Amino acid sequence: MSVAKQLYELQELDLEIDSQEQALAQATSQLGESQALLRAQSQLQSEQKRLEELQRKQHSAEDEIEDISTKLAPAEKKLFSGDIKNPKELSSLQHEVEVLKAKRNQMEEKALEIMEQVELCETSVAGTGSELEKVKAEWQRQQQALSDSIERLKAVLADLKDKRQLLLGELSPQVVELYQGLRKERGTAVARVEQGICRGCRISLPTTELQQARSGNLVKCSSCGRILFLA
Ligand SMILES: [Zn+2]
């Protein structure tokens, strides 16, 4: 195999390595938490917090109703017992019973309102929870696919790099240095020659250069400086 052909193969390998490495970097950058997942998680947290607050309010309203009832029962019993004969005392007790009843009604209305809010909030928490599960499942699926593709890319790259090492072993250090320099300078170091034209710069090559390249010598394009490779 001519040195030009070996270098051309090296270049093909390097281009393939570059593209696989780019794909690997892209896949790696997509690993990690997703914004959609974080959003859904924080929404659920704030809804759960609101639900807990409402439930606390509901309990304290219920406690208060019970408190009032505890006071109301003996007062009513006393009122209807017929034991109290003093009209002033009777009317004062009557007033006390009415005030307690009004207070209890008010608290019962409040408790009902809170209960409705609790129910709405529970529905909302359940909805957000199942939405979060969906987002999470999708995210896990994506992460798994990314991990799989990262593993595949790493294996492909390891294989390509092995091939590259083998090829480098067949080339002299001077030739490799020339190749690396041209690659750095021009992006590609080796140019194919097709129908007498350098594919690196699209210029017709002088017959002498073509003949030298054909004979297997390492020839650089007089126009773009790339190493010429005749297939
Ligand atoms: Zn050229």
Side-chain angles (χ1 to χ4, degrees):
M1 201 194 293
S2 73
V3 175
K5 184 165 167 53
Q6 282 176 312
L7 287 177
Y8 186 75
E9 278 183 11
L10 180 61
Q11 176 165 289
E12 294 282 277
L13 275 175
D14 279 340
L15 291 174
E16 184 62 16
I17 287 169
D18 286 351
S19 115
Q20 298 291 336
E21 266 173 353
Q22 219 174 351
L24 178 63
Q26 215 210 339
T28 308
S29 76
Q30 288 174 317
L31 274 179
E33 280 172 326
S34 86
Q35 287 306 309
L37 185 62
L38 291 176
R39 262 201 306 277
Q41 270 166 344
S42 106
Q43 198 190 337
L44 182 63
Q45 270 168 6
S46 74
E47 280 176 9
Q48 276 169 335
K49 207 173 145 200
R50 183 170 141 72
L51 180 60
E52 278 164 25
E53 271 166 30
L54 283 168
Q55 281 166 336
R56 254 200 305 279
K57 273 191 193 170
Q58 192 185 359
H59 288 144
S60 94
E62 282 162 358
D63 285 351
E64 219 168 311
I65 291 165
E66 214 179 293
D67 264 9
I68 297 168
S69 298
T70 315
K71 283 178 200 158
L72 192 57
E76 273 188 315
K77 202 179 166 193
K78 209 169 154 192
L79 182 63
F80 299 118
S81 67
D83 292 347
I84 296 159
K85 310 288 188 218
N86 184 328
K88 230 180 173 180
E89 207 184 321
L90 199 63
S91 112
S92 148
L93 187 61
Q94 220 160 17
H95 179 68
E96 193 192 328
V97 166
E98 274 162 22
V99 167
L100 283 171
K101 275 186 172 171
K103 223 171 150 188
R104 191 172 66 179
N105 282 343
Q106 213 183 347
M107 276 318 292
E108 276 170 348
E109 263 176 50
K110 198 177 158 191
L112 204 68
E113 267 174 38
I114 296 170
M115 210 174 78
E116 280 166 9
Q117 285 179 315
V118 164
E119 278 168 12
L120 279 175
C121 199
E122 277 170 346
T123 310
S124 164
V125 163
T128 306
S130 77
E131 186 55 36
L132 175 63
E133 285 311 305
K134 264 190 246 165
V135 172
K136 209 171 175 176
E138 173 62 13
W139 174 75
Q140 278 167 339
R141 196 192 57 73
Q142 278 176 350
Q143 293 294 300
Q144 189 55 54
L146 276 173
S147 298
D148 291 349
S149 105
I150 285 169
E151 285 314 302
R152 263 197 312 276
L153 287 166
K154 281 182 177 169
V156 167
L157 272 165
D159 186 44
L160 288 169
K161 284 176 180 174
D162 280 349
K163 282 184 185 155
R164 188 180 192 274
Q165 276 312 111
L166 277 177
L167 201 50
L168 282 180
E170 294 169 13
L171 293 160
S172 75
Q174 291 86 348
V175 166
V176 173
E177 203 179 315
L178 171 70
Y179 167 84
Q180 306 276 41
L182 280 169
R183 179 165 146 81
K184 212 168 153 189
E185 199 181 306
R186 305 186 185 260
T188 53
V190 187
R192 279 179 84 98
V193 177
E194 280 164 14
Q195 289 163 337
I197 292 167
C198 165
R199 300 303 294 172
C201 62
R202 293 170 194 280
I203 281 186
S204 273
L205 294 159
T207 320
T208 47
E209 273 176 40
L210 278 174
Q211 276 169 348
Q212 279 187 328
R214 201 167 284 130
S215 68
N217 289 333
L218 207 59
V219 183
K220 283 161 79 176
C221 169
S222 53
S223 165
C224 71
R226 291 186 179 88
I227 298 157
L228 295 173
F229 166 57
L230 270 82

